[in-house]
Amino acid sequence: MSTMAIIGAQWGDEGKGKIVDHLAAAADLVIRFQGGNNAGHTIVNDFGTFALHLLPAGVFHAGTINLLGPGTAVSPPALLAEMAEVGSATGISFESLKVAERAHVVMPYHVSLDAAEEQQRGDLVQGTTLRGIGPAYADKAARSGVRVADLLDANYLSEWIPSVLGPKNRLLAEGYGLDPIDPSALVDQTLEWGEALRPHVVDSLPLVSNALDANHTILLEGQLGVMRDLDWGHYPYVTSSSPSAAGACIGAGIPPQRLDTVLGIAKAFTSSVGEGPFPTELTDATGDRLRNVGAGEYGASTGRPRRCGWFDAVPVRTAAALSGIDALALTKMDALDEFETISVCEAYELDGRRVELAPDTHALVRARPIYRELPGWLATTAGVTEYDQLPPNAQLYVRTVEEMTGTPIALVGTGQHRTAVVTRDAVFGASR
Ligand code: GDP
Ligand code: IMO
Ligand code: MG
């Protein structure tokens, strides 16, 4: 496997967490490379069922180092609460959990501003997860952020926090009528977080560089998917970092030519949570059915019902074009077991033209899906692990998605549990 990036190829929630948990059995190092606790990665394994938000999905494997990479945005209270919760349920000690000192910190005012900004957007609301992610990355770019390394330097913090908090407090109070934050209380709070996180904080550069030199197996875990990429998604309904393979290199500290494999994750249908265009969205009974099959499509971070629709080849093709996807994992095949017919969007019709790659937002809202209808298989695929055990029409579905996206399918998901995966060795071996 050497170095493999796990990239969301749709609107997020493709099943990245499950696939990382599955593959991490063979990984020395798992690195979350962007995003923060806006993630909700549901993991089902022998320890139980977990919704991970910040913890990389390799934490269940003893002997695997898990790193929150420099490209992430870390909320210390959220991370500490998640460690306590998962730790008490599993006995995992988190000695091998590392937090990059260059990662940015989501501060309390980021969370307040995320909510206040959403509220003032009115009809143009973006549907963020309200976790402060946008404001934290905005401060990173504006060079007024707080980094994990800063939490360990009391002298620096006591100067830096009052300096960055001044403008934030004016915005909170005068812009949004909210209470300002007391600088010295915030310095104390951040120092406490620093002490709690200190055993985990590392300079990730030598850690990752040495792992590459030693040819260790490294998994790069993405958060969200291509349609919500800051540069390539349907702006402004995007997140504030890049879930692409290029984002993986920057956010983890991996040279592009050391990325051996890019594995795109795509669900066998499509879901999106939050605002923005979604050409195959079904607001009818079929959409409800897709939402409610199996464990159901409800946000693991926010509990919001996910918008659902048929599989759409356009975002997956777009993700492949941008991230150089070598192979796909097609998750939740079993969710389609009971559909008599299954539609698949092969391209969009846009102003009388056929469009195969995702156009920008203004055009995307006008795009109409061009569907191909496939026969369902009306048989259970739940828990199947051998490709030839999949019903013929399920294999036809896999081949059709491969043909439409121009990308081989290496893994097929057949259930929530980490073991419910068909591995097609011929494809997976070739892509490794
Ligand atoms: P992520 O954010 O990409 O990690 O995806 P989420 O965990 O938010 O959402 C994917 C949902 O699908 C979760 O409830 C997973 O447990 C579930 N899931 C993932 N793979 C499969 C699969 O192959 N079959 C079934 N039935 N559920 C799956
Ligand atoms: P995983 O890792 C699905 C969406 C939000 C909103 C937009 C911006 O589970 O795939 P943000 O809070 O990032 O500023 O919100 O992105 N969003 C997600 N949608 N899954 C996620 O994570 C998401 N993280 C953010 O709904 O539209
Ligand atoms: Mg999710």
Side-chain angles (χ1 to χ4, degrees):
M1 180 162 36
S2 35
T3 303
M4 180 187 281
I6 310 291
I7 301 295
Q10 295 165 320
W11 271 261
D13 302 324
E14 298 91 350
K16 300 174 290 291
K18 173 200 158 172
I19 297 296
V20 171
D21 180 45
H22 173 78
L23 295 175
D28 300 295
L29 176 62
V30 175
I31 311 175
R32 252 293 289 280
F33 61 82
Q34 46 80 225
N37 61 325
N38 48 347
H41 295 179
T42 300
I43 312 287
V44 182
N45 58 32
D46 293 345
F47 288 103
T49 299
F50 304 89
L52 298 186
H53 303 292
L54 268 166
L55 289 173
V59 289
F60 299 98
H61 297 277
T64 303
I65 293 176
N66 282 268
L67 170 69
L68 276 167
T72 59
V74 178
S75 158
L79 177 60
L80 293 165
E82 196 172 326
M83 287 164 68
E85 192 183 321
V86 174
S88 73
T90 61
I92 292 171
S93 67
F94 296 111
E95 267 155 35
S96 52
L97 175 70
K98 311 288 175 200
V99 181
E101 59 187 7
R102 292 174 175 86
H104 274 250
V105 176
V106 179
M107 300 291 281
Y109 49 80
H110 292 139
V111 179
S112 307
L113 287 171
D114 199 353
E117 286 166 6
E118 274 288 80
Q119 212 180 355
Q120 65 83 34
R121 283 183 184 124
D123 287 347
L124 294 175
V125 67
Q126 295 175 4
T128 79
T129 59
L130 303 178
R131 299 295 190 266
I133 301 301
Y137 279 108
D139 274 352
K140 172 178 176 173
R143 306 187 303 268
S144 47
V146 176
R147 298 171 319 133
V148 168
D150 304 341
L151 303 183
L152 306 182
D153 189 331
N155 288 335
Y156 179 80
L157 267 191
S158 58
E159 240 190 296
W160 184 249
I161 293 232
S163 128
V164 294
L165 190 58
K168 299 295 174 200
N169 270 343
R170 279 195 292 282
L171 185 57
L172 285 170
E174 292 161 28
Y176 297 113
L178 297 170
D179 288 339
I181 295 172
D182 174 47
S184 62
L186 189 56
V187 171
D188 292 347
Q189 174 68 85
T190 44
L191 285 172
E192 264 176 46
W193 292 337
E195 280 319 302
L197 291 180
R198 188 184 287 278
H200 304 280
V201 177
V202 292
D203 178 358
S204 65
L205 188 54
L207 173 74
V208 174
S209 181
N210 291 341
L212 286 169
D213 287 348
N215 278 326
H216 282 171
T217 297
I218 305 174
L219 280 181
L220 308 177
E221 175 185 343
Q223 189 263 332
L224 258 174
V226 65
M227 295 308 291
R228 299 216 187 256
D229 182 285
L230 178 61
D231 292 276
W232 293 100
H234 46 40
Y235 193 92
Y237 306 103
V238 293
T239 196
S240 298
S241 59
S242 176
S244 67
C249 290
I250 293 189
I254 302 265
Q257 71 271 37
R258 296 301 304 273
L259 211 53
D260 299 304
T261 311
V262 180
L263 184 70
I265 314 297
K267 204 147 49 182
F269 56 97
T270 311
S271 71
S272 167
V273 60
E275 301 302 317
F278 177 7
T280 66
E281 179 174 15
L282 295 170
T283 50
D284 59 6
T286 308
D288 291 343
R289 212 174 145 196
L290 286 169
R291 182 177 310 108
N292 291 310
V293 277
E297 292 289 342
Y298 294 87
S301 272
T302 60
R304 291 180 288 180
R306 294 176 180 157
R307 302 156 68 194
C308 292
W310 295 120
F311 182 85
D312 182 349
V314 175
V316 181
R317 218 179 268 129
T318 303
L322 290 169
S323 285
I325 290 175
D326 296 294
L328 286 172
L330 189 68
T331 60
K332 277 197 107 160
M333 271 291 284
D334 56 302
L336 300 181
D337 282 354
E338 287 173 20
F339 285 83
E340 272 181 24
T341 57
I342 300 169
S343 296
V344 184
C345 168
E346 56 180 36
Y348 300 150
E349 192 257 290
L350 178 65
D351 306 335
R353 286 178 301 122
R354 182 183 165 96
V355 168
E356 304 221 326
L357 294 171
D360 185 44
T361 322
H362 300 295
L364 188 61
V365 291
R366 300 196 306 277
R368 298 289 165 259
I370 301 170
Y371 285 116
R372 196 188 298 178
E373 194 168 275
L374 296 173
W377 43 93
L378 298 174
T380 181
T381 61
V384 168
T385 55
E386 299 296 328
Y387 188 69
D388 58 12
Q389 300 292 310
L390 289 176
N393 281 349
Q395 294 188 17
L396 172 68
Y397 192 80
V398 169
R399 285 200 305 278
T400 305
V401 171
E402 285 185 315
E403 174 231 314
M404 277 187 190
T405 59
T407 309
I409 292 177
L411 305 174
V412 180
T414 56
Q416 282 195 292
H417 195 273
R418 70 152 66 127
T419 55
V421 178
V422 173
T423 302
R424 299 175 73 198
D425 283 327
V427 177
F428 203 51
S431 70
R432 276 185 280 193

